[in-house]
Structure formats: C-alpha cells, structure tokens
C-alpha cells in the first residue's frame, strides 16, 4: 500500500487512565454535555453502519493540546491517537505488536498451496478487524464488525503478486475466499476494475483448487486494471503539473527567493501523485518486462519505448530513495517542539529534489507500454526461444513504420478490451 496512510500514535505509549479519558470524552460528545480533560482533546468521532442499519464500528481521534499550547502548529498524524470503541462506548486498546494467532486454516492452506505465502490474520477487536474489512475487495458488504470477527482468517499472497483473503466465519462454516486490495493501490483508487466474486467452498483442497484455477487468474486481470488505472491517473496529473506555469511576483519589495513559494505549492500538489505512481508503477514496469516478447524489440517504436523504460525505472528508484530518506529524516525530530514546522520544511525540500525525477516519470513510456501489453495479461507467456523463432519468421512482414498508436488493419478485429494507448 501507499505510504500516505496516517501513522497514528502507538497505543503502547498509553496507560489505562488515557482510555478512561477517551471514553468520557466520547460519551460527552454523544450526550452533548461539556467535558474538558486536562490532557486529551477529541478531534473527531465517526461510526459506520451497514445498509440494514447494523452497527459495524466506531472510532475517534484524540490529541494532547499541551504539546501545541505555545506554538502555531497543528497536530500531525503522528501526534494523534486513533481509538476504536465497541457499541457501548468502551475503548478497545490496540495491540499492533501482538504475534500472529495460531491458525489451523492457515496451516491447511499452506500445505495445499505450494509457492504461496499464507499468514494468519490478526483478529483482535478494534483496528485489526476494521483493517481486515478494509482490505476486502469486491465482497459486496461487511462480513464482521470491529468487535465480532470471523473464527479464522488467512492472508494469501500468490507467486504472481495475487492477494486473497480466506475466511472461516464460524468454526464449522465453509471457507470463503475472495480478493484483497492489491499492493500498491489505495482502496479509493480501484476505479472500475472488477475483482472476482468471493467463493464459498468446503474442504481445504477444494478451496486451493478454486484459488489457483478460478480466482487467481481473474484477480491478476483485475489487479492489473486497478494498478494501471491508478498509475495512469497519477502520471497524467504529473504531466499536467509539468505544463503548469509558475507565477512570479513582481511587486516592489518582493525578494526573488520568494518565487520558491509558488514552486513549493506545485511540489506539494505533485507529491501525492508521486506517492501513487511509485506505489503502482514498479509492478507495472515489471509486468511490461515479463510480457514483452522478442518480436516487440523488432518494432522500432516499441524498441525505443523499451529503451526509455530503463530511464523511467531509474526515476522511480530515485523517487523511492528520496521518500525513504525523507521518512528517516522526519523520524529524527518527530518528538521535538518544532517537529511540525521542521516536517513542513523537510517536505518542501523533498518535493524540490523529487520534481525533476517526477518530470522524467511523466514524460516516460509507462502508460503507452502498459496499454500495449494489457491484452496479454492473464495469458500464458510463451517460451523465449519460441518467441525469437516467431519474431524472426515474421520480421519480413513488419510494417515500414510500426507504432504503438497505429490502428489495427481493417481486416483484423481489435482484441477485446484493447485501447489505443496515448503518448
């Protein structure tokens, strides 16, 4: 997943008196009674119900106003505590460092799915159950709440990057297998991609067969659509920012150095698209490498794009390094009095350093090549030796100036789902 998920304060830093304060503040907010706590202040509270009106979860965000009493800074995500509550308003302490539970389902699936990574899911009330629900993709509704979870659940990762969830709602219930949100794609970036519907199967062996033969191939196609859609939107947005003009103030008394403020605004707008791109694009680039056949390299336009792909991958690597360096830097002063101000300064420096690499990414061939190989996703990749033989046999029949954007011949129907890539 992308790195913009808020990193709230670890509950390990809290004591029982803090949870008591959270419960009192939430009760006062719900009852409309004034209540002031000397240490904690509620920022917001929210709850969720399913379509029949069944309660699912409730949580609230708190921060300590004492840290900001003598500054103009606002609390960053790292200064905020997120607390889940049960239906009666009792706080649910978070246990992010707890070991994975003993899972008979995970052990059975691991034996029947060689080459797959099978891990038991955390099922502690509160954050664990809510985040498990947030990872479901295309399940058609909530299967549990933040206080009443399934009997057993496993997170499955396939050899081609498939991410599935296997859940047993009750001890003797069938196994429910469905899609999880792909790595590198935020839930709200899934777009129009349609994941496979969950399947209810009985024995573990039958579940393994359904996973490998039915769900996994459909998942790969849906995940590809989601990643390409997320990446394309981010790159198109960066391309628009590249063409945007920077307003330079001309009023008397303005220093030339203040021009940076306009560039800083553009950099802040660009960074969220950079985060999206560097989350989804590496997997797209790897798939382009895997599904490129030898015949493609005989096409001058495709060959040129593949050569430029190396530069684009270099830009992605550099952006990832910049993000890692920035995260390491802000970790050093997150607890300092000027932490929020220093963080803003570090963000502007990060954006300034990242901008030329973002431009290279926006100008690269990723979106065109992704559109070019989309019809191949889900199909078996032919043997490389056979690819070369087929390419040499057809070399004399290639058009004089082939192009990724050239329309198909009039006598040939375009493959289903193929779109003309934009350059």
């Amino acid at each position: 997943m992308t790195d913009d998920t808020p990193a709230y304060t670890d509950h390990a830093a809290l004591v029982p008196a803090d949870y008591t304060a959270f419960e009192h503040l939430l009760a006062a907010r719900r009852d409309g009674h004034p209540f002031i706590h000397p240490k904690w202040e509620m920022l917001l509270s929210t709850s969720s119900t399913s379509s029949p009106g069944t309660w699912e979860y409730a949580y609230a965000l708190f921060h300590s106003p004492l840290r900001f009493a003598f500054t103009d800074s606002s609390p960053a995500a790292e200064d905020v505590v997120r607390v889940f509550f049960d239906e009666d308003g009792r706080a649910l302490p978070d246990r992010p460092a707890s070991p994975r539970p003993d899972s008979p389902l995970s052990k059975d699936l691991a034996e029947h799915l060689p080459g797959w990574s099978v891990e038991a899911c955390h099922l502690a009330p509160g954050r664990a159950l809510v985040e498990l629900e947030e990872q479901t993709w295309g399940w058609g509704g909530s299967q549990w709440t933040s206080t009443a979870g399934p009997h057993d659940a496993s997170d499955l990762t396939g050899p081609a990057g498939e991410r599935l969830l296997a859940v047993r709602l009750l001890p003797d219930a069938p196994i429910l297998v469905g899609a999880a949100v792909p790595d590198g794609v935020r839930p709200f970036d899934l777009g129009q991609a349609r994941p496979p519907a969950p399947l209810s199967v009985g024995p573990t062996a039958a579940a393994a067969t359904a996973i490998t033969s039915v769900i996994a191939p459909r998942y790969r196609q849906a995940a590809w659509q989601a990643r390409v859609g997320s990446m394309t939107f981010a790159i198109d947005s960066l391309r628009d920012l590249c063409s945007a003009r920077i307003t330079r103030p001309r009023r008397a008394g303005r220093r030339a150095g203040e021009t940076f403020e306009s560039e800083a605004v553009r950099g802040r707008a660009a960074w969220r698209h950079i985060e999206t791109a560097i989350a989804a694009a590496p997997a797209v680039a790897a798939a382009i490498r895997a599904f490129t056949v030898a015949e493609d390299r005989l096409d001058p336009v495709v060959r040129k794009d593949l050569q430029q792909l190396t530069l684009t991958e270099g830009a992605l690597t550099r952006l990832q390094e910049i993000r890692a360096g920035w995260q390491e830097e802000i970790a050093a002063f997150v607890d300092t009095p000027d932490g929020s101000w220093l963080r803003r300064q570090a963000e502007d420096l990060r954006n300034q350093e990242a901008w030329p690499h973002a431009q290279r990414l926006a100008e690269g061939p990723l979106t065109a090549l992704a559109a070019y190989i989309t019809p191949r996703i889900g199909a078996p990749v032919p043997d490389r030796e056979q690819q070369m033989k087929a390419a040499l046999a057809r070399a004399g029949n290639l058009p004089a100036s082939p192009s990724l954007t050239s329309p198909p011949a009039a006598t040939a129907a375009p493959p289903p789902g193929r779109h003309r890539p934009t350059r």
Side-chain angles (χ1 to χ4, degrees):
M1 303 303 290
T2 53
D3 208 76
D4 57 356
T5 303
Y8 297 110
T9 298
D10 194 325
H11 283 211
L14 304 177
V15 296
D18 293 323
Y19 294 106
T20 301
F22 299 150
E23 292 170 357
H24 288 166
L25 286 166
L26 179 66
R29 172 73 64 88
R30 288 178 171 177
D31 297 339
H33 297 155
F35 177 75
I36 299 177
H37 191 271
K39 180 180 178 181
W40 293 104
E41 181 179 88
M42 179 184 290
L43 297 176
L44 64 87
S45 63
T46 185
S47 60
S48 174
T49 55
S50 59
S51 52
T54 304
W55 178 89
E56 291 183 358
Y57 69 84
Y59 75 87
L61 302 182
F62 303 89
H63 86 114
S64 177
L66 296 178
R67 291 190 60 181
F68 306 96
F70 304 104
T71 70
D72 295 330
S73 302
S74 299
E78 294 83 356
D79 304 310
V80 175
V81 181
R82 182 175 65 170
V83 182
F84 285 94
F85 296 85
D86 64 15
E87 195 169 2
D88 296 323
R90 290 187 291 265
L92 301 172
D94 202 357
R95 300 176 180 87
S98 60
R100 292 189 179 275
D102 182 37
S103 170
L105 175 61
S106 299
K107 294 178 181 177
D108 291 343
L109 286 172
E111 293 178 359
H112 289 85
L113 289 170
W116 286 64
S117 171
V118 182
E119 292 188 338
C121 296
H122 290 289
L123 300 176
R127 184 188 74 165
L129 290 178
V130 173
E131 291 186 348
L132 182 64
E133 177 66 30
E134 290 174 347
Q135 285 301 302
T136 60
W137 184 26
W139 286 51
S142 176
Q143 304 291 327
W144 52 84
T145 71
S146 64
T147 56
H151 172 71
D152 203 348
S154 301
D155 190 345
L156 314 178
T157 303
E162 304 93 339
R163 283 207 62 231
L164 307 176
L165 292 173
V167 176
R168 203 188 290 277
L169 296 176
L170 298 172
D172 298 323
I175 302 172
L176 189 64
V177 182
V181 176
D183 288 332
V185 180
R186 295 170 296 189
F188 49 84
D189 281 337
L190 293 173
Q192 301 300 315
R194 294 187 176 183
L199 292 181
S200 180
V201 289
T204 308
T209 301
I211 287 170
T212 56
S213 62
V214 178
I215 300 179
R218 297 176 183 174
Y219 180 91
R220 287 192 291 269
Q221 293 177 333
W224 172 259
Q225 294 171 356
R227 285 196 180 97
V228 171
S230 176
M231 180 201 71
T232 300
F233 177 80
I235 289 179
D236 287 347
S237 299
L238 288 173
R239 192 176 294 121
D240 291 340
L241 289 171
C242 287
S243 61
R245 298 177 61 185
I246 299 298
T247 302
R248 288 176 169 77
R250 298 178 180 276
R251 287 186 295 174
R254 292 286 187 123
R255 300 191 307 273
E258 291 186 359
T259 304
F260 176 76
E261 290 299 322
S262 295
E263 294 175 351
V265 170
R266 182 180 62 181
R268 292 167 199 151
W271 182 254
R272 60 190 181 94
H273 301 303
I274 292 173
E275 285 272 20
T276 301
I278 61 180
V284 174
I288 291 171
R289 295 288 189 191
F291 284 91
T292 298
V293 297
E295 186 174 349
D296 296 329
R297 300 184 183 278
L298 299 178
D299 181 322
V301 175
V302 181
R303 182 174 66 246
K304 181 180 178 181
D305 282 343
L306 289 172
Q307 291 170 346
Q308 293 178 350
L309 180 61
T310 302
L311 297 176
T312 302
E313 290 171 321
L316 284 170
T317 300
R318 187 68 191 109
L319 288 169
Q320 290 171 322
E321 292 171 350
I322 291 171
R323 181 179 61 177
W326 165 71
Q327 291 172 333
E328 183 177 348
E329 181 181 359
I330 63 172
F333 52 71
V334 67
D335 292 327
T336 63
D338 296 329
S340 297
W341 179 83
L342 291 172
R343 180 188 177 96
R344 185 58 171 263
Q345 293 294 106
E347 287 175 351
D348 286 340
L349 291 174
R350 173 204 65 190
N351 299 342
Q352 184 181 18
E353 185 179 3
W355 179 246
H357 305 287
Q359 288 178 298
R360 187 174 297 116
L361 174 63
E363 296 165 357
L366 269 181
T367 54
L369 286 172
Y372 180 69
I373 71 162
T374 289
R376 304 176 186 177
I377 300 299
V381 180
D383 180 79
R384 291 294 179 182
E385 183 178 351
Q386 296 298 323
Q387 293 176 14
M388 182 60 69
K389 291 179 179 179
L392 294 174
R394 298 185 179 94
N397 297 323
L398 289 175
S401 57
S403 170
L404 288 181
T405 54
S406 299
T411 56
R418 178 107 178 233
H419 300 282
R420 292 180 62 190
T422 56
R423 299 301 304 278

